[in-house]
Amino acid sequence: QVQLVESGGGLVQAGDSLRLSCTSSGRTLSAYAMGWFRQAPGKEREFVAAISRSGGMPYYGDSVKGRFTISRDNSKNTVTLQMDSLKPEDTAVYYCAVDQTTRHINEVHARIAEYEFWGEGTTVTVSS
C-alpha cells in the first residue's frame, strides 16, 4: 500500500499558474513511475502527465502539452505538476498516482488501469 497526498490546489484566474505537489510519507516515490490525472465534474478521469522512474521521459496529455510540466525531486520524495497559462477547462480534481507496472526505468504509461495507488486529490478551479 502506498499512501499519496496531493497539495497545492486552489482558485485562480485564467492565465495564472499553480504548482501541485504529491508526496508519500511511507514509501520512496523514486521507485515508481508517477502520473497526474484529473477529473472534472460530470466527466471521466483523464490523463494529464507522467514521469518515469529516471525522471526523464515526461509525457503529457494533448490538452496540457506546452503548459504543464511534471518533475520529481527524489531528495524531497515529491512529484510536482507546474501548471501555467491555466484555462477554465483545467478546472478539476487533480490526482497523483503510482505506476508499479513499468519494467524499464524510462518507461511511462498514460492508461488509468496501469496505476494502482491514488491520492485523494486536490481541487483546482480556474475562473474566466
Side-chain angles (χ1 to χ4, degrees):
Q1 187 79 13
V2 180
Q3 293 183 328
L4 302 172
V5 178
E6 302 96 336
S7 62
L11 171 63
V12 296
Q13 293 187 332
D16 286 350
S17 298
L18 273 178
R19 189 177 182 88
L20 306 184
S21 294
C22 173
T23 190
S24 173
S25 59
R27 290 292 187 97
T28 301
L29 297 182
S30 61
Y32 309 105
M34 300 291 297
W36 283 96
F37 293 77
R38 67 186 182 186
Q39 187 164 17
K43 296 187 176 182
E44 294 185 351
R45 192 168 297 190
E46 68 168 342
F47 170 75
V48 174
I51 190 166
S52 64
R53 282 180 279 148
S54 71
M57 301 299 293
Y59 184 63
Y60 300 95
D62 289 341
S63 61
V64 306
K65 202 172 296 183
R67 299 187 297 122
F68 290 13
T69 303
I70 189 171
S71 61
R72 64 192 312 158
D73 186 340
N74 292 335
S75 68
K76 297 180 180 179
N77 204 34
T78 299
V79 176
T80 298
L81 185 69
Q82 176 67 39
M83 306 187 297
D84 299 319
S85 302
L86 283 162
K87 304 176 181 180
E89 50 264 44
D90 294 318
T91 294
V93 178
Y94 284 72
Y95 301 90
C96 69
V98 165
D99 180 1
Q100 296 189 108
T101 70
T102 58
R103 297 183 178 183
H104 189 276
I105 196 170
N106 288 325
E107 188 174 351
V108 292
H109 297 137
R111 295 195 308 157
I112 291 174
E114 280 152 334
Y115 289 82
E116 182 172 2
F117 300 110
W118 296 77
E120 294 189 351
T122 184
T123 300
V124 172
T125 304
V126 185
S127 63
S128 57

